Amino acid sequence: MLNGNIAALLYLTSGVLFILALRGLSSPETARQGNRFGVIGMAIAGATTLLYQLPWGFFSFLWVLLAMGIGGSIGVWRARTIQMTAMPQLVALFHALVGLAAVFVAASALYGPQGFGLGLPNSIHSTTLFEMSLGAAIGAITFTGSVIAFLKLDGRMSGNPILLPNRHAINIGLGILLAIFIFAFIATEAHFVFWLIVLVSFALGVLLIVPIGGADMPVVISMLNSYSGWAAAAVGFTLSNLALIITGALVGSSGAILSYVMCKGMNRSFISVILGGFGGEVAAPAAGEGDVERPPVKQGSAEDAAKILLAAKRVIVVPGYGMAVAQAQHALREMADILKSKGIDVKYAIHPVAGRMPGHMNVLLAEANVPYDEVFELEDINPEFPGADVAFVIGANDVTNPAAKTDSSSPIYGMPILDVEYAKDVLFVKRGLGSGYAGVENELFFRNNTTMLFGDAKKMVDGIVKALG
Amino acid sequence: MATEIDPQLLEKIQGAAQAARHAADTAQNVADQIAVGASAASGGAIDPFMFRLAIFALAVIVGYYVVWAVTPSLHTPLMSVTNAISSVIVVGALLAAGIDESVGEGSSIARFFGFLALTLASVNIFGGFLVTERMLSMFKKKG
């Protein structure tokens, strides 16, 4: 059996290694090493616990191996086979697992406190009971919230916000109920009250995420990331485990920062995102005012686009979620390769909320072998649009809409956008003339220097590649 | 008769071991408090909870600075790796899985939840680190 102090020291070590793991992500060069620090930290934490629990009963150990074998193989299988476009769903599902694991660990500590050094059943310290109920509650909210987010991201559930009547009142009511149950639990340590806490939290998780629309998913997924961290931290407090406390704090603040970055990328307040109701999956196509006079749009073919691209010296590609849906990233890179071979400069511009989770576009481009030093963030690339000959917008819309700067009545007013309007020519690859998630029409479509390339993003880019070659 | 006494004896021994462990834990807490008390004007009546809180608060601050330093292009790997490391909750699952069955009436339930948690956390540990590695290996420089 491992000495308690040495165990604490080892847990601290793994906490520090986790900090180094995140630190590594400050640059793509050090990122993989960072990930390895994370693996080592996890191995230390696991091994420490196993040693601390010596001697293991034969069957207990067998069960541990079995559980790790089952879980591990599922994890390896998912990690190997998951498509990069489906990363947001996978991450949502992983959040759900952490949340549920937190609930189970809290339950386990309640039923068998001896095993955790928390005293005997029915005499658990009230601080511990508080931490336990907090861990279970946040974990349960994370679980059902993430499951809903997964269903929405995976298209198994409509991305439209589902707005229950009086939903704010219901949520507040459930919140109060939750607080009452937690107090009751601390006072009585009754097992059924614990499960009431879990049940109410499950309901809260569903109700919190259901009203949030598809366009706000990057915020939701970051927020749930944060929640899973706070749940882990609360369990860490319960078990007095340094590795868990440190990790929970890291993950919690990481998710919170990402939520903030995403909100800023959409110029929305965190509160308004949480309150929900914004951005249906298919914004009603200009409902009621569909007959408003529009100037005609200039429509082009793949051949027209190829001609415009070949005449350019500097091209900036603006990929959006539409590119991911059509799996057009590989064809896009092929197109860029041909252009580069003809001496044309190609760069990529990524909006902070492009895709369905933070940094999603970067991963998709990296998967298609686009070098990361050709990919730029909004602040770095915007000054370059006036000098660009072509802005090639593929599967993006709202993030290029100048109405965000000029029209104070627009729902996206104030959102930072990519200044594609300043490029000499703008090519839009789009399925149709519909408006984006925000349900706002993009005036760029009707400009003289804009050519609309209607069709499936992948087929269109394939066509351009053929026309270029 | 001997077969009936045996389990009782076993229980007693286990009880004693348990008590020893508790005593050690208590001693540890007392030692912690004395160490702090020596320098604290309050006389050392500080709950160990406060130390955990201090570590937590500092870790939040460290997290804040470290995460702001992460390049936005790696935000997806950041999320998957934070996911992987949060499955360090596995330590709780392992503690639960190792609970001695004869310790108390709730122990088998506790162990059952421990195994469930262990399975879930294992999905995350292996899946999370692997998928992060897979993504990071895609990020390449020009040429």
Short mmCIF file of all heavy atoms in Angstrom, two decimals, chain A residues 342-369:
data_model
loop_
_atom_site.label_atom_id
_atom_site.label_comp_id
_atom_site.label_asym_id
_atom_site.label_seq_id
_atom_site.Cartn_x
_atom_site.Cartn_y
_atom_site.Cartn_z
N LYS A 342 0.48 27.30 -60.39
CA LYS A 342 0.50 28.33 -61.43
C LYS A 342 0.97 29.67 -60.87
O LYS A 342 0.74 30.72 -61.46
CB LYS A 342 -0.90 28.46 -62.04
CG LYS A 342 -1.36 27.18 -62.75
CD LYS A 342 -2.63 27.41 -63.53
CE LYS A 342 -3.24 26.10 -64.02
NZ LYS A 342 -2.47 25.45 -65.08
N GLY A 343 1.53 29.64 -59.69
CA GLY A 343 2.11 30.85 -59.12
C GLY A 343 1.11 31.75 -58.42
O GLY A 343 1.40 32.90 -58.11
N ILE A 344 -0.09 31.25 -58.19
CA ILE A 344 -1.11 32.06 -57.50
C ILE A 344 -1.01 31.80 -55.99
O ILE A 344 -0.87 30.67 -55.54
CB ILE A 344 -2.52 31.69 -58.01
CG1 ILE A 344 -2.59 31.97 -59.52
CG2 ILE A 344 -3.59 32.47 -57.26
CD1 ILE A 344 -3.80 31.36 -60.20
N ASP A 345 -1.07 32.89 -55.25
CA ASP A 345 -0.96 32.80 -53.79
C ASP A 345 -2.32 32.42 -53.20
O ASP A 345 -3.32 33.07 -53.47
CB ASP A 345 -0.50 34.17 -53.26
CG ASP A 345 -0.35 34.16 -51.75
OD1 ASP A 345 0.41 33.31 -51.25
OD2 ASP A 345 -1.01 34.99 -51.09
N VAL A 346 -2.34 31.35 -52.40
CA VAL A 346 -3.61 30.91 -51.80
C VAL A 346 -3.50 30.92 -50.28
O VAL A 346 -2.55 30.39 -49.72
CB VAL A 346 -4.00 29.49 -52.27
CG1 VAL A 346 -5.32 29.07 -51.65
CG2 VAL A 346 -4.07 29.42 -53.78
N LYS A 347 -4.47 31.56 -49.65
CA LYS A 347 -4.53 31.54 -48.18
C LYS A 347 -5.94 31.15 -47.74
O LYS A 347 -6.89 31.27 -48.52
CB LYS A 347 -4.19 32.92 -47.63
CG LYS A 347 -2.71 33.23 -47.66
CD LYS A 347 -2.43 34.63 -47.20
CE LYS A 347 -0.94 34.89 -47.25
NZ LYS A 347 -0.64 36.33 -47.20
N TYR A 348 -6.05 30.74 -46.51
CA TYR A 348 -7.35 30.36 -45.98
C TYR A 348 -7.69 31.28 -44.82
O TYR A 348 -6.83 31.59 -44.00
CB TYR A 348 -7.34 28.91 -45.49
CG TYR A 348 -7.07 27.91 -46.59
CD1 TYR A 348 -5.77 27.66 -47.00
CD2 TYR A 348 -8.10 27.23 -47.21
CE1 TYR A 348 -5.50 26.75 -48.02
CE2 TYR A 348 -7.86 26.32 -48.22
CZ TYR A 348 -6.55 26.08 -48.62
OH TYR A 348 -6.29 25.19 -49.61
N ALA A 349 -8.95 31.68 -44.76
CA ALA A 349 -9.40 32.56 -43.68
C ALA A 349 -10.46 31.84 -42.85
O ALA A 349 -11.46 31.36 -43.40
CB ALA A 349 -9.98 33.84 -44.27
N ILE A 350 -10.23 31.75 -41.56
CA ILE A 350 -11.16 31.02 -40.70
C ILE A 350 -11.84 31.96 -39.72
O ILE A 350 -11.19 32.68 -38.97
CB ILE A 350 -10.41 29.94 -39.87
CG1 ILE A 350 -9.54 29.09 -40.78
CG2 ILE A 350 -11.41 29.11 -39.08
CD1 ILE A 350 -10.22 27.95 -41.42
N HIS A 351 -13.15 31.95 -39.75
CA HIS A 351 -13.91 32.72 -38.77
C HIS A 351 -13.97 31.92 -37.47
O HIS A 351 -14.05 30.69 -37.50
CB HIS A 351 -15.32 32.96 -39.32
CG HIS A 351 -16.09 33.96 -38.52
ND1 HIS A 351 -16.78 33.62 -37.39
CD2 HIS A 351 -16.26 35.30 -38.68
CE1 HIS A 351 -17.35 34.70 -36.89
NE2 HIS A 351 -17.06 35.73 -37.66
N PRO A 352 -13.94 32.64 -36.33
CA PRO A 352 -13.94 31.92 -35.05
C PRO A 352 -15.08 30.91 -34.88
O PRO A 352 -14.90 29.87 -34.25
CB PRO A 352 -14.08 33.03 -34.00
CG PRO A 352 -13.69 34.28 -34.68
CD PRO A 352 -13.81 34.09 -36.15
N VAL A 353 -16.25 31.21 -35.45
CA VAL A 353 -17.36 30.27 -35.24
C VAL A 353 -17.67 29.44 -36.49
O VAL A 353 -18.74 28.86 -36.61
CB VAL A 353 -18.65 30.97 -34.75
CG1 VAL A 353 -18.44 31.51 -33.37
CG2 VAL A 353 -19.10 32.04 -35.71
N ALA A 354 -16.71 29.37 -37.42
CA ALA A 354 -16.92 28.50 -38.58
C ALA A 354 -16.98 27.06 -38.09
O ALA A 354 -16.20 26.67 -37.22
CB ALA A 354 -15.79 28.68 -39.57
N GLY A 355 -17.89 26.29 -38.63
CA GLY A 355 -18.01 24.90 -38.20
C GLY A 355 -18.92 24.77 -37.00
O GLY A 355 -19.59 25.71 -36.60
N ARG A 356 -18.91 23.59 -36.40
CA ARG A 356 -19.84 23.32 -35.31
C ARG A 356 -19.15 23.28 -33.95
O ARG A 356 -19.77 23.00 -32.94
CB ARG A 356 -20.55 21.98 -35.55
CG ARG A 356 -21.71 22.10 -36.48
CD ARG A 356 -22.84 22.89 -35.84
NE ARG A 356 -23.89 23.20 -36.80
CZ ARG A 356 -23.85 24.23 -37.62
NH1 ARG A 356 -22.83 25.06 -37.61
NH2 ARG A 356 -24.84 24.44 -38.45
N MET A 357 -17.86 23.51 -33.92
CA MET A 357 -17.17 23.60 -32.64
C MET A 357 -15.92 24.45 -32.85
O MET A 357 -15.48 24.62 -33.98
CB MET A 357 -16.82 22.22 -32.09
CG MET A 357 -15.68 21.51 -32.78
SD MET A 357 -15.44 19.83 -32.17
CE MET A 357 -14.70 20.13 -30.58
N PRO A 358 -15.36 24.99 -31.77
CA PRO A 358 -14.19 25.84 -31.91
C PRO A 358 -13.05 25.11 -32.64
O PRO A 358 -12.73 23.98 -32.30
CB PRO A 358 -13.78 26.14 -30.47
CG PRO A 358 -14.97 25.87 -29.65
CD PRO A 358 -15.78 24.84 -30.37
N GLY A 359 -12.50 25.77 -33.65
CA GLY A 359 -11.34 25.20 -34.34
C GLY A 359 -11.65 24.05 -35.28
O GLY A 359 -10.75 23.41 -35.81
N HIS A 360 -12.93 23.79 -35.52
CA HIS A 360 -13.33 22.65 -36.34
C HIS A 360 -12.78 22.74 -37.76
O HIS A 360 -12.26 21.77 -38.31
CB HIS A 360 -14.86 22.58 -36.36
CG HIS A 360 -15.40 21.31 -36.92
ND1 HIS A 360 -16.69 21.19 -37.34
CD2 HIS A 360 -14.82 20.12 -37.12
CE1 HIS A 360 -16.89 19.95 -37.79
NE2 HIS A 360 -15.76 19.29 -37.67
N MET A 361 -12.87 23.95 -38.35
CA MET A 361 -12.40 24.13 -39.73
C MET A 361 -10.91 23.84 -39.87
O MET A 361 -10.47 23.26 -40.85
CB MET A 361 -12.63 25.58 -40.19
CG MET A 361 -13.96 25.86 -40.78
SD MET A 361 -14.47 24.67 -42.00
CE MET A 361 -16.06 24.33 -41.32
N ASN A 362 -10.14 24.27 -38.87
CA ASN A 362 -8.69 24.06 -38.92
C ASN A 362 -8.36 22.58 -39.01
O ASN A 362 -7.47 22.17 -39.74
CB ASN A 362 -8.01 24.67 -37.70
CG ASN A 362 -8.30 26.14 -37.57
OD1 ASN A 362 -9.39 26.54 -37.15
ND2 ASN A 362 -7.36 26.96 -37.94
N VAL A 363 -9.12 21.78 -38.23
CA VAL A 363 -8.87 20.34 -38.24
C VAL A 363 -9.22 19.75 -39.60
O VAL A 363 -8.48 18.93 -40.16
CB VAL A 363 -9.68 19.65 -37.12
CG1 VAL A 363 -9.60 18.14 -37.26
CG2 VAL A 363 -9.17 20.08 -35.77
N LEU A 364 -10.35 20.20 -40.16
CA LEU A 364 -10.76 19.66 -41.47
C LEU A 364 -9.75 20.01 -42.55
O LEU A 364 -9.43 19.19 -43.40
CB LEU A 364 -12.14 20.21 -41.83
CG LEU A 364 -13.27 19.74 -40.93
CD1 LEU A 364 -14.57 20.40 -41.31
CD2 LEU A 364 -13.40 18.23 -40.99
N LEU A 365 -9.23 21.24 -42.50
CA LEU A 365 -8.23 21.63 -43.50
C LEU A 365 -6.94 20.85 -43.29
O LEU A 365 -6.30 20.41 -44.24
CB LEU A 365 -7.96 23.14 -43.44
CG LEU A 365 -9.12 24.02 -43.90
CD1 LEU A 365 -8.77 25.49 -43.76
CD2 LEU A 365 -9.51 23.72 -45.34
N ALA A 366 -6.58 20.68 -42.02
CA ALA A 366 -5.36 19.92 -41.73
C ALA A 366 -5.51 18.49 -42.23
O ALA A 366 -4.57 17.90 -42.78
CB ALA A 366 -5.07 19.92 -40.23
N GLU A 367 -6.72 17.94 -42.07
CA GLU A 367 -6.96 16.58 -42.55
C GLU A 367 -6.76 16.49 -44.05
O GLU A 367 -6.28 15.49 -44.57
CB GLU A 367 -8.40 16.16 -42.20
CG GLU A 367 -8.68 14.70 -42.51
CD GLU A 367 -10.16 14.39 -42.61
OE1 GLU A 367 -10.96 15.33 -42.69
OE2 GLU A 367 -10.51 13.20 -42.62
N ALA A 368 -7.11 17.57 -44.76
CA ALA A 368 -6.96 17.58 -46.21
C ALA A 368 -5.54 18.00 -46.60
O ALA A 368 -5.30 18.36 -47.75
CB ALA A 368 -7.99 18.52 -46.83
N ASN A 369 -4.62 17.97 -45.65
CA ASN A 369 -3.21 18.30 -45.90
C ASN A 369 -2.96 19.74 -46.26
O ASN A 369 -1.98 20.05 -46.93
CB ASN A 369 -2.64 17.42 -47.01
CG ASN A 369 -2.35 16.03 -46.50
OD1 ASN A 369 -1.91 15.88 -45.37
ND2 ASN A 369 -2.62 15.04 -47.32
#
